[in-house]
């Protein structure tokens, strides 16, 4: 039926175009539609106008909806509102003049970006006051032009398309505020009758008399505009050489001075000594990652959202010399665990033990460097949770009430929210869970679900009432708001964290139930509520405290010390309300001087290829599969951090991962570091040559120093993904520097040229050393490998990231480096395709077969891995053989041996590599070789 | 960048004496001093002016419809393509690939200014594409290769190699 509709629609479109008719598609609340409707009124062109939904994709070749759109008689589509207006004017005989062109171009490139930002602020953030600031530049320009031109309209005495376009563009803000008042010429132009009436009638159609608010639903669907301040990231399609920053003499001299300081003045940081406790006079950071729920294997989205992001920041913080404690652990209580235990025929505790170990090993493989990785099912948890409970109780923040709850008579138990499924009462999504709807994101009370079903046995549960305790959030709200005001303004809260928190407060807080009729949980100590346990949302965040208490008896020095300690919480955005509203309320209500969150770092979602990761549906790559791919942990970390959903959703894609590995790691970063090291080895017998800096070298030092500064500024603000770009920029600068200076040619020249080759090599290898330090938080193993290869002094690690960044010469002339070898391996297309199929494809079928058992999938994947002829022991031997053979070939080439001899040895090498690939479980098909770089 | 494009356009149009341009603002918007009135500002505005000066109006389209299409892509170039973020690139290439599926040139069957400026604007994106990606956006690369070999267009930009035989057979999206 669907396709038939589609067909008849297509047919009607083509008929209308055969008849030479046009059709204009517009949507309500879309400011761009104002322009075309006004132009239609002004020109009097007859045209069929159809109102469609914002999301309607009218223009067949555009993947994002673009409205307004004009279907031309020829069947072509115009999707630019200015082009449509211009066309409407042209067909009534008013060609656009050069002046007109200029205004239209200005409107599209200068006015629109500012206008979008202004509307975004005013409509979505309620910051109407920002509008005048954002629009100041364009409006002043318009004012100047109008007063200079001294004509009633933009291009002369008569109305032109430029007037209509600008009028309609500015109508929403000018009619809604006093912006025009201060600018007399703009005001006179805007109030001039001719166009104003057409605009008003168009505005009535588009905004429905609701003013700026009429655009709300449209604006919500638009990507947030980049503010002018955040535009410091380079547009990617500009040639890096062309936009390279102009470097001043002073910057160059300053960079050269820093460079010359060397390492000696820097104290060696002591190794970490446990237990780490806050120190007076130091920056004391307590870093937590959202506690992963124990009964599932975490997927890549969980890993990047919480533990990996927190790990990168913690590693960075330690390099910065901050006194930092990073804790995490598994969240183990709740019905889900009880159920899993029933399924697997184990006790809940046994299930927790089993999965806690799985989590631990996954994080170990991903090199997550926790100071302590604990769990919530401990004595300390009971002790602390009950203490907090009694304090809240004592201060009168608990209310008693009777609750209607769903009970499955067949399963003989009350159903936890996520064990009920039904139709969402808000959006009618058929698979809404009892706690939250995956589609519209609203929180749901399980009894509100339409047609509820027990997720285990699919029976319809019955409603039973039971007495429960509620945390009185409305009573705590004033305290909460006071604290939030301070924390969000002084701390680094991500934009989504602030926004989600605000929307919670705006909707008003309601009392929240903290008790449950379950067994597997922290017992409620109150005698009237025996046989009940704490609700996980109340209990789980207390895990941060109890895990710290299991790490050190002096845990209160971290958790009851808000003046000395800054608390960083890392999580995905779905967890924000519990960390910004609910848990702080528990702690505020307990009134025991608790340390509350100072910096709330929330990621958006990471999607898997083109779909969603889903714990409950088992879609996506899981943590324990990553190591079965044969791709090193560091490369996984790099790619996940490269696509970290920072500020917007992003997606994991196998093809993209291969591309980034090959283009960024292999061709850019690895290539640079390897070349720098190889030059030292080949041309200077492994000793760093003497360096005599010239202007060009100083310029490079300044450029690198600037990237380092950016990196530090971003990392300090936990912009982990953005900071990574600056590491890659440095190696790009480095590659370019080597390419321009050609040390491999100069080394064969006279003394001056040889000296030049020495300087370029020396500077490059020092940049490689700096890169190893900057990479440490992201790729710890590669970072260490680089320093091992360069034989770099350990003190360089503590030196370079101090203050605003100090790029010093840490490998001085005469320093002997170690053995240099390639850092990264190419990911071949067929290898990646095989992985995509092996994990992605099978995943979907496995998931359909057993939707409640995502854990079964990794096991299946592991079986495939072993049955494929994979043999780690053999792989190890072969790796050694490949290395030796490779060296032999290189030696022969260096000796300029006979071609036939070399060819024979190369053939042997290729054969060995093939065998190795088989043993490692990779596909052995050779892929087309790319041109080799010098 | 914009200035080099304008000077390449001048060469293509065979204008005798090159114009002198200045720029304005952080974004280095080109400005052309004009003897008969106030200066012209903006790349598209100036480019259209040059075409008229060279008496080649067909480069802006030969009927109202194609003129609208040409203007639309010129606007797209300066407002969407310029300054696009890494995330946008895929979408842009995907959309153009679909758009060019049944077209020889941006405005259909006739070479126009839209081809010139879309080519200049997309060049840096194409340079960065791996061969595999080029094959994914086969219509874009076909059009691109066509335009870069169009007499007198390429001037200031290095040629990009577009392989004609497919290396990767499997589909990626």
């Amino acid at each position: 039926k669907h396709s038939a509709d589609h067909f008849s629609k297509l047919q009607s479109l083509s008929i209308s175009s055969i008849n030479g008719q046009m059709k204009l598609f517009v949507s309500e609340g879309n400011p761009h539609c104002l322009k075309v409707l006004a132009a239609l009124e002004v020109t009097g062109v007859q045209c069929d106008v159809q109102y469609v939904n914002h999301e309607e994709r009218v223009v067949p070749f555009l993947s994002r909806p673009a409205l307004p759109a004009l279907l031309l008689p020829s069947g072509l589509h115009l999707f630019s509102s200015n082009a449509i207006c211009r066309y409407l004017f042209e067909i009534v005989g008013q060609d656009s003049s050069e002046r007109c062109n200029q205004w239209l171009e200005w409107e599209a490139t200068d006015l629109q970006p500012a206008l979008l930002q202004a509307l975004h602020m005013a409509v979505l953030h309620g910051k109407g006051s920002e509008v005048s600031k954002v629009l100041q530049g364009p409006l002043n320009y318009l004012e100047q032009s109008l007063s200079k031109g001294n004509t009633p309209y933009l291009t002369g005495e008569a109305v032109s398309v430029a007037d209509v376009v600008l009028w309609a563009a500015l109508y929403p803000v000018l009619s809604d505020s006093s912006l025009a008042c201060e600018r007399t010429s703009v005001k006179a132009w805007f109030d001039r009758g001719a166009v104003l009436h057409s605009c008003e009638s168009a505005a009535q159609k588009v905004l429905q008399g609701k003013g700026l608010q009429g655009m709300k639903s449209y604006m919500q669907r638009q990507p947030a505009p980049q503010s002018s301040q955040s535009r410091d990231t380079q547009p990617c399609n500009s040639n890096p050489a062309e936009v390279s920053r102009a470097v001043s003499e002073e910057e160059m001299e300053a960079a050269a001075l820093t460079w010359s300081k060397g390492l000696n003045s820097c104290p060696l940081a002591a190794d970490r000594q446990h237990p780490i406790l806050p120190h007076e006079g130091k920056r004391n950071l307590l870093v937590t990652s959202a506690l992963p729920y124990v009964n599932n294997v975490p997927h890549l989205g969980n890993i990047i959202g919480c533990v990996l992001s927190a790990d990168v920041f913690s590693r960075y913080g330690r390099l910065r010399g901050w006194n930092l404690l990073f804790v995490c652990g598994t969240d183990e209580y709740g019905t889900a665990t009880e159920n899993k235990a029933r399924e697997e025929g184990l006790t809940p505790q046994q299930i927790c033990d089993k999965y806690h170990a799985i989590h631990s090993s996954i994080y170990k493989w991903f090199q997550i460097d926790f100071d302590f990785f604990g769990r919530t099912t401990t004595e300390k948890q009971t002790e602390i949770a009950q203490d907090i409970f009694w304090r809240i109780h004592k201060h009168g923040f608990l209310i008693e009430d009777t609750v209607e709850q769903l009970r499955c008579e067949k399963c003989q138990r009350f159903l936890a929210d996520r064990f009920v499924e039904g139709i969402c009462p808000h959006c009618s999504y058929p698979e809404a869970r009892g706690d939250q709807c995956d589609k519209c994101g609203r929180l749901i009370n399980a009894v509100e679900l339409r047609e509820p079903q027990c997720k285990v046995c699919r029976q319809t549960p019955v409603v039973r009432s039971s007495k429960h305790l509620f945390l009185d959030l409305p009573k705590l709200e004033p305290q909460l708001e006071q604290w939030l005001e301070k924390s969000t303004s002084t701390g680094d809260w991500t934009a989504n964290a602030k926004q989600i928190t605000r929307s919670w407060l705006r909707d008003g807080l309601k009392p929240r139930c903290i008790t449950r009729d379950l067994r597997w949980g922290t017992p409620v100590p109150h005698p009237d509520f025996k046989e009940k346990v704490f609700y996980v949302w109340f209990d789980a965040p207390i895990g941060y405290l109890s895990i710290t208490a299991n790490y050190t008896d002096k845990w209160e020095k971290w958790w009851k010390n808000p003046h000395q300690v800054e608390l960083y919480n890392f999580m995905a955005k779905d967890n924000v309300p519990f960390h910004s509203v609910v848990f702080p309320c528990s702690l505020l209500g307990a009134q025991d001087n608790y340390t509350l969150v100072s910096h709330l770092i929330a990621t958006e979602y990471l999607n898997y290829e083109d779909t969603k990761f889903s714990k409950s549906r088992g879609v996506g790559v899981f943590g324990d599969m990553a190591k079965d791919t044969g791709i090193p942990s560091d490369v996984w970390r790099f790619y996940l951090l490269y696509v970290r959903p920072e500020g917007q959703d992003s997606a994991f894609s196998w093809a993209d991962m291969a591309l980034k590995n090959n283009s960024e790691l292999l061709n850019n970063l690895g290539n640079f570091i390897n070349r720098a090291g190889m030059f030292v080895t080949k041309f200077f017998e492994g000793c760093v040559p003497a360096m005599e800096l010239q202007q060009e070298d100083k310029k490079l030092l300044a450029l690198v120093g600037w990237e380092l500064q950016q990196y530090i500024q971003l990392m300090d603000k936990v912009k982990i993904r953005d900071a990574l770009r600056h590491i890659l920029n440095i190696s790009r600068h480095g590659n370019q520097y080597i390419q321009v200076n050609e040390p491999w040619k100069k080394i064969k020249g006279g003394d001056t040229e040889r000296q030049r080759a020495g300087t370029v090599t020396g500077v490059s290898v020092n940049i490689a050393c700096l890169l190893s330090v900057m990479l440490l938080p992201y790729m710890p193993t590669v970072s260490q490998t680089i320093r091992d290869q360069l034989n770099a002094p350990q003190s360089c690690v503590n030196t370079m990231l101090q203050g605003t960044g100090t790029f010093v010469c840490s490998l001085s002339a005469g320093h002997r480096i170690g053995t240099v070898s390639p850092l990264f391996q190419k990911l071949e297309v067929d290898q990646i395709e095989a992985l995509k199929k092996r994990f992605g494809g099978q995943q979907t079928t496995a998931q359909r077969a057993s939707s409640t058992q995502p854990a079964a999938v990794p096991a299946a994947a592991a079986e495939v891995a072993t049955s494929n002829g994979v043999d780690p022991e053999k792989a190890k031997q072969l790796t050694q053989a490949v290395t030796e053979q490779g060296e032999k070939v290189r030696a022969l080439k260096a000796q300029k041996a006979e071609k036939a001899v070399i060819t024979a040895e190369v053939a042997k090498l290729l054969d060995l590599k093939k065998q190795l690939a088989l043993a490692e479980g990779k596909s052995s098909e050779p892929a087309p070789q790319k041109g080799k770089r010098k | 960048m914009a200035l080099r494009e304008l000077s390449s356009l001048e060469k293509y149009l065979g204008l005798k004496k090159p114009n002198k341009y200045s720029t304005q603002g952080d974004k280095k918007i080109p400005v052309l001093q004009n003897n008969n009135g106030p200066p012209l500002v903006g790349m598209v505005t100036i480019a259209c002016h040059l075409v008229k000066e060279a008496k080649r109006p067909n480069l802006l389209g030969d009927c109202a419809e194609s003129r609208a299409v040409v203007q639309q892509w010129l606007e797209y170039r300066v407002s969407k393509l310029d300054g696009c973020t890494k995330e946008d690139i895929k979408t842009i290439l995907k959309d153009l690939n679909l758009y060019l599926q049944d077209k020889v040139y941006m405005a259909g069957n006739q070479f126009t200014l839209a081809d010139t400026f879309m080519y200049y604007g997309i060049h840096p994106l194409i340079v960065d594409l791996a061969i595999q990606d080029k094959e994914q956006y086969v219509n874009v690369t076909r059009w691109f290769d066509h335009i870069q070999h169009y007499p007198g267009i390429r001037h200031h930009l290095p040629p990009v190699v577009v392989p004609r035989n497919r290396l990767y057979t499997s589909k990626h999206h």
Side-chain angles (χ1 to χ4, degrees):
Chain A
K1 185 182 176 260
H2 192 80
S3 60
D5 280 353
H6 187 61
F7 179 70
S8 66
K9 192 165 151 196
L10 282 179
Q11 221 170 22
S12 76
L13 291 187
S14 56
I15 288 168
S16 76
S17 36
I18 288 165
N19 293 347
Q21 286 164 0
M22 299 187 296
K23 194 162 187 179
L24 183 61
F25 296 88
V26 292
S27 67
E28 274 175 18
N30 176 337
H32 304 290
C33 295
L34 243 169
K35 291 184 196 167
V36 295
L37 289 174
L40 214 51
E41 297 248 352
V42 172
T43 57
V45 170
Q46 290 300 310
C47 172
D48 189 7
V49 178
Q50 187 177 337
Y51 284 82
V52 295
N53 195 290
H54 294 307
E55 299 294 293
E56 186 106 4
R57 279 181 50 198
V58 176
V59 186
F61 56 87
L62 294 181
S63 33
R64 290 184 193 140
L67 289 168
L70 182 68
L71 175 65
L72 294 169
S74 64
L76 279 175
H77 283 89
L78 292 182
F79 57 87
S80 136
S81 53
N82 291 8
I84 295 173
C85 292
R86 184 200 300 264
Y87 176 74
L88 293 174
F89 272 78
E90 188 172 340
I91 56 177
V92 297
Q94 290 195 41
D95 290 0
S96 133
S97 66
E98 277 182 353
R99 265 322 100 193
C100 250
N101 284 343
Q102 186 167 322
W103 277 116
L104 293 182
E105 186 177 358
W106 177 79
E107 199 273 343
T109 55
D110 284 57
L111 181 61
Q112 272 305 329
L115 210 47
L116 267 184
Q117 202 191 335
L119 289 177
H120 191 83
M121 298 291 246
V123 177
L124 295 186
H125 298 295
K127 286 189 183 161
S129 51
E130 294 285 315
V131 171
S132 75
K133 210 166 83 193
V134 178
L135 287 178
Q136 197 178 5
L139 282 179
N140 286 347
Y141 176 76
L142 185 61
E143 172 74 15
Q144 275 171 19
S145 308
L146 281 164
S147 65
K148 238 191 326 199
N150 210 16
T151 51
Y153 296 102
L154 286 171
T155 58
E157 298 297 326
V159 170
S160 73
V161 60
D163 292 294
V164 175
V165 164
L166 262 76
W167 225 311
L170 288 168
Y171 183 87
V173 288
L174 289 188
S175 60
D176 200 70
S177 68
S178 54
L179 276 182
C181 293
E182 322 139 28
R183 300 177 176 89
T184 50
S185 306
V186 171
K187 181 151 176 53
W189 166 79
F190 184 69
D191 289 341
R192 214 151 267 139
V195 186
L196 192 57
H197 292 304
S198 308
C199 263
E200 272 168 351
S201 114
Q204 186 56 36
K205 289 176 195 156
V206 173
L207 306 179
Q208 310 270 310
K210 284 183 269 186
L212 288 177
Q213 286 312 307
M215 288 184 260
K216 192 163 183 177
S217 75
Y218 171 78
M219 292 305 294
Q220 278 167 339
R221 286 175 172 80
Q222 303 306 306
Q226 295 178 310
S227 71
S228 43
Q229 293 102 314
S230 69
R231 274 241 170 111
D232 52 4
T233 43
Q234 286 175 2
C236 53
N237 62 349
S238 46
N239 187 341
E242 209 144 16
V243 296
S244 74
R245 279 171 5 93
V247 179
S248 70
E249 289 286 323
E250 292 81 48
E251 279 177 90
M252 289 193 225
E253 287 313 317
L257 187 68
T258 310
W259 162 269
S260 66
K261 277 182 187 152
L263 288 172
N264 15 8
S265 58
C266 308
L268 273 171
D271 277 342
R272 255 185 286 173
Q273 287 193 340
H274 294 293
I276 300 163
L277 293 173
H279 278 299
E280 183 65 49
K282 283 210 126 188
R283 198 172 166 207
N284 298 300
L285 264 53
L286 176 55
V287 178
T288 71
S289 149
L291 307 181
Y293 199 65
V294 77
N295 82 331
N296 271 312
V297 178
H299 60 64
L300 297 181
N302 301 138
I303 290 168
I304 182 64
C306 318
V307 290
L308 182 53
S309 295
D311 178 59
V312 173
F313 183 70
S314 299
R315 286 174 181 271
Y316 169 77
R318 291 181 199 121
L319 290 181
R320 288 282 269 161
W322 300 331
N323 185 40
L324 183 149
L325 178 69
F326 175 23
V327 293
C328 185
T330 39
D331 168 15
E332 307 194 338
Y333 283 130
T335 3
T337 312
E338 277 185 349
N339 265 339
K340 193 85 184 174
R342 198 169 299 133
E343 267 169 32
E344 299 195 12
L346 299 169
T347 66
Q349 188 62 57
Q350 283 171 322
I351 278 290
C352 292
D353 293 348
K354 175 178 161 189
Y355 281 94
H356 176 81
I358 292 177
H359 275 264
S360 286
S361 74
I362 289 172
Y363 301 141
K364 197 169 169 203
W365 188 80
F366 274 96
Q367 308 171 74
I368 309 296
D369 191 9
F370 301 114
D371 289 303
F372 188 71
F373 185 71
R375 44 205 303 189
T376 55
T377 51
T378 63
E379 280 295 310
K380 293 280 182 206
Q381 176 76 9
T382 310
E383 194 182 297
I384 296 170
Q386 292 187 346
D387 173 59
I388 290 176
F389 167 81
W390 280 123
R391 289 182 151 273
I392 299 173
H393 186 264
K394 187 173 84 189
H395 295 116
F397 292 114
L398 291 180
I399 317 170
E400 211 180 288
D401 200 1
T402 316
V403 185
E404 309 215 298
Q405 239 179 303
L406 294 175
R407 186 181 160 88
C408 179
E409 295 294 0
K410 192 173 173 211
C411 301
Q412 284 286 304
R413 60 201 176 97
F414 285 102
L415 296 178
D417 291 347
R418 50 174 58 233
F419 280 83
V420 194
E421 265 183 11
I423 301 169
C424 173
H426 306 288
C427 73
S428 299
Y429 178 62
E431 287 171 51
R433 284 178 287 137
D435 53 349
Q436 199 170 14
C437 172
D438 270 342
K439 176 113 181 282
C440 68
R442 287 196 184 81
L443 295 183
I444 299 172
N445 198 340
V447 288
E448 294 169 1
L449 279 178
R450 301 207 309 263
E451 298 178 28
Q453 280 189 339
C454 168
K455 223 180 133 180
V456 178
C457 68
R458 294 287 156 199
Q459 291 275 313
T460 306
V462 295
V463 179
R464 286 277 196 84
S465 49
S466 161
K467 211 169 63 168
H468 283 281
L469 282 168
F470 287 72
L471 182 61
D472 194 348
L473 294 181
K475 196 170 168 188
L476 285 157
E477 196 168 338
Q479 286 187 57
L480 178 76
E481 289 206 43
Q482 199 185 359
W483 163 75
L484 269 175
E485 176 75 21
K486 191 164 152 268
S487 183
T488 54
S489 57
T490 53
D492 291 321
W493 287 51
T494 51
N496 56 356
K498 287 189 205 174
Q499 194 201 331
I500 292 168
T501 306
R502 256 199 308 271
S503 74
W504 261 58
L505 291 176
R506 201 178 40 226
D507 294 349
L509 299 179
K510 294 180 197 75
R512 267 189 90 88
C513 187
I514 66 165
T515 52
R516 294 260 90 180
D517 290 295
L518 299 173
R519 265 150 303 186
W520 186 239
T522 303
V524 179
H526 197 293
D528 297 352
F529 297 86
K530 273 192 296 191
E531 319 228 317
K532 289 183 200 283
V533 298
F534 289 126
Y535 209 154
V536 279
W537 68 257
F538 177 80
D539 192 56
I542 294 173
Y544 294 134
L545 282 62
S546 73
I547 287 166
T548 315
N550 280 309
Y551 165 70
T552 168
D553 289 343
K554 297 186 181 131
W555 64 277
E556 288 173 329
K557 289 203 163 187
W558 284 108
W559 282 101
K560 296 187 184 177
N561 192 357
H563 296 294
Q564 277 191 332
V565 174
E566 288 175 57
L567 173 58
Y568 279 82
N569 286 166
F570 284 80
M571 69 203 69
K573 69 176 172 190
D574 53 342
N575 240 322
V576 167
F578 297 101
H579 289 78
S580 67
V581 175
V582 182
F583 185 49
C585 277
S586 301
L587 294 182
L588 286 168
Q591 295 179 7
D592 202 12
N593 193 34
Y594 283 106
T595 307
L596 300 183
V597 59
S598 337
H599 312 274
L600 206 158
I601 315 297
T603 54
E604 301 285 320
Y605 293 136
L606 180 76
N607 295 318
Y608 177 70
E609 297 285 352
D610 286 328
T611 164
K612 263 187 188 173
F613 279 97
S614 165
K615 248 189 210 175
S616 48
R617 283 175 291 154
V619 176
V621 177
F622 288 80
D624 52 352
M625 298 166 146
K627 66 175 162 232
D628 300 332
T629 58
I631 298 169
S633 158
D634 268 18
V635 173
W636 276 102
R637 288 175 62 114
F638 167 81
Y639 181 65
L640 289 173
L641 292 160
Y642 192 95
V643 297
R644 180 172 187 258
E646 197 168 289
Q648 60 186 357
D649 287 0
S650 64
F652 170 89
S653 140
W654 287 103
D656 188 50
M657 180 173 181
L659 199 69
K660 293 296 156 9
N661 177 75
N662 298 345
S663 63
E664 292 290 12
L665 290 183
L666 192 67
N667 288 348
N668 174 14
L669 186 73
N671 184 41
F672 170 70
I673 293 171
N674 192 245
R675 283 163 109 189
M678 284 312 289
F679 291 154
V680 176
T681 308
K682 266 168 49 187
F683 304 146
F684 301 97
E685 286 88 41
C687 286
V688 176
M691 291 159 269
E692 289 195 24
L693 298 186
Q694 297 182 358
Q695 279 307 90
E696 195 192 345
D697 310 313
K698 292 179 185 173
K699 186 178 167 193
L700 178 72
L701 294 185
L703 283 172
V704 169
W706 187 81
E707 300 286 354
L708 173 61
Q709 258 178 35
Q710 299 302 306
Y711 165 89
I712 288 180
Q713 279 174 18
L714 289 165
M715 279 300 245
D716 279 358
K717 297 276 174 204
V718 211
K719 305 268 189 214
I720 295 172
R721 189 193 63 174
D722 290 348
L724 179 55
R725 303 292 193 266
H726 293 279
I727 301 181
L728 300 170
N729 282 350
I730 290 180
S731 53
R732 258 188 283 276
H733 284 308
N735 274 322
Q736 210 168 14
Y737 173 73
I738 290 181
Q739 209 58 37
V740 169
N741 284 291
E742 303 182 315
W744 63 90
K745 279 190 190 161
K746 294 216 165 78
I747 193 70
K748 295 174 189 149
D751 277 356
T752 339
E753 292 217 296
R754 288 181 60 85
Q755 194 185 53
R756 189 69 201 131
T759 305
V760 171
T761 302
V763 168
S764 299
V765 78
N766 268 288
I767 294 178
C769 186
L770 169 70
L771 283 169
S772 85
V773 178
M774 293 171 80
L775 272 178
L776 194 152
Y778 296 87
M779 307 176 85
T781 306
V782 168
S783 164
Q784 189 57 52
T785 307
I786 297 170
R787 280 190 303 283
D788 289 348
Q789 290 189 4
L790 300 180
N791 192 21
Q794 198 54 32
S795 58
C796 68
V797 171
N798 317 99
T799 309
M800 313 253 215
L801 300 187
Q802 297 312 308
T804 55
T806 40
F807 175 29
V808 300
C809 174
S810 50
L811 309 176
S812 44
H815 170 87
R816 177 165 287 283
I817 68 167
T819 313
V820 177
S821 61
L823 296 166
F824 302 107
Q825 289 204 333
K826 187 168 181 189
L827 289 177
E828 304 293 357
V829 177
D830 37 13
Q831 177 190 354
I832 276 294
E833 280 301 308
L835 286 170
K836 193 171 167 182
K837 221 179 266 167
R838 185 162 122 199
F839 294 105
Q842 194 173 24
Q843 189 87 3
T844 354
T845 45
Q847 158 231 334
R848 285 201 193 105
S850 62
S851 62
T852 52
Q853 283 182 297
V857 180
E863 271 170 32
V864 174
T866 43
S867 67
N868 245 356
V870 177
D871 184 346
E873 195 48 48
K874 196 174 166 200
K876 214 167 150 189
Q877 291 164 4
L878 282 164
T879 310
Q880 180 64 26
V882 166
T883 316
E884 282 169 14
Q885 184 66 18
E887 272 163 16
K888 192 170 172 188
V889 169
R890 264 188 294 269
L892 284 170
K893 281 183 179 169
Q895 293 157 16
K896 303 216 158 51
E898 271 187 54
K899 201 164 180 191
V901 179
I902 296 179
T903 315
E905 294 300 329
V906 168
K908 272 189 204 164
L909 177 63
L910 289 177
D911 185 49
L912 281 169
K913 282 187 175 170
K914 210 163 157 185
Q915 289 180 37
L916 174 61
L918 277 175
E920 287 179 341
K922 299 172 189 164
S923 167
S924 62
E925 289 296 319
Q929 290 285 316
K930 265 191 154 182
K932 206 174 151 192
R933 288 225 200 164
K934 254 272 154 102
Chain B
M1 193 72 189
L3 296 191
R4 282 209 253 160
E5 291 180 29
L6 288 171
S7 99
S8 292
L9 176 66
E10 284 178 356
K11 282 185 207 144
Y12 167 71
L13 292 170
L15 293 176
K16 286 284 168 305
K17 52 172 201 258
N19 286 299
K20 276 236 162 70
Y21 300 98
S22 50
T23 60
Q24 97 184 8
D26 300 340
K27 287 192 276 176
K28 301 245 165 101
I29 297 165
V31 178
L32 174 61
Q33 296 302 328
N34 189 346
N35 296 333
N36 326 320
L40 290 172
V41 186
M43 187 164 74
V44 173
T45 308
I46 296 174
C48 293
H49 168 80
L50 295 177
V51 168
K52 278 184 197 153
E53 210 174 55
K55 307 216 164 33
R56 301 275 296 275
N58 277 358
L59 283 177
L60 297 177
D62 56 359
C63 62
E65 282 202 10
S66 64
R67 276 191 288 277
V69 171
V70 170
Q71 290 298 332
Q72 159 161 295
W73 288 110
L74 291 175
E75 181 191 313
Y76 185 90
R77 156 65 210 275
V78 289
S79 63
K80 297 267 174 8
L81 200 49
D82 290 353
C84 69
T85 64
K86 266 222 158 81
E87 287 77 23
D88 298 333
I89 292 183
K90 267 194 183 163
T91 321
I92 289 178
L93 290 174
K94 197 173 143 213
D95 290 358
L96 280 177
N97 197 50
L98 202 55
Y99 177 73
L100 286 166
Q101 188 176 305
D102 56 355
K103 290 174 190 68
V104 181
Y105 299 106
M106 291 306 297
N109 294 319
Q110 187 202 3
F111 177 84
T112 64
L113 195 60
D115 293 294
T116 317
F117 276 82
M118 284 298 285
Y119 161 71
Y120 291 154
I122 214 163
H123 189 276
L125 270 59
I126 302 286
V127 169
D128 281 352
L129 283 189
I131 290 176
Q132 191 184 345
D133 294 322
K134 284 183 190 153
E135 289 186 4
Q136 196 184 329
Y137 307 115
V138 61
N139 301 318
V140 175
T141 42
R142 169 188 41 79
W143 163 83
F144 183 88
D145 199 31
H146 186 41
I147 304 302
Q148 74 174 348
H149 289 103
Y150 202 86
I153 291 298
R154 194 167 53 75
H155 285 298
H156 66 281
L157 295 170
V160 178
V161 178
V162 177
R164 292 175 190 240
N165 54 335
R166 288 180 75 92
L167 295 174
Y168 303 88
T169 46
S170 48
K171 284 217 169 120
H172 294 280
H173 281 276

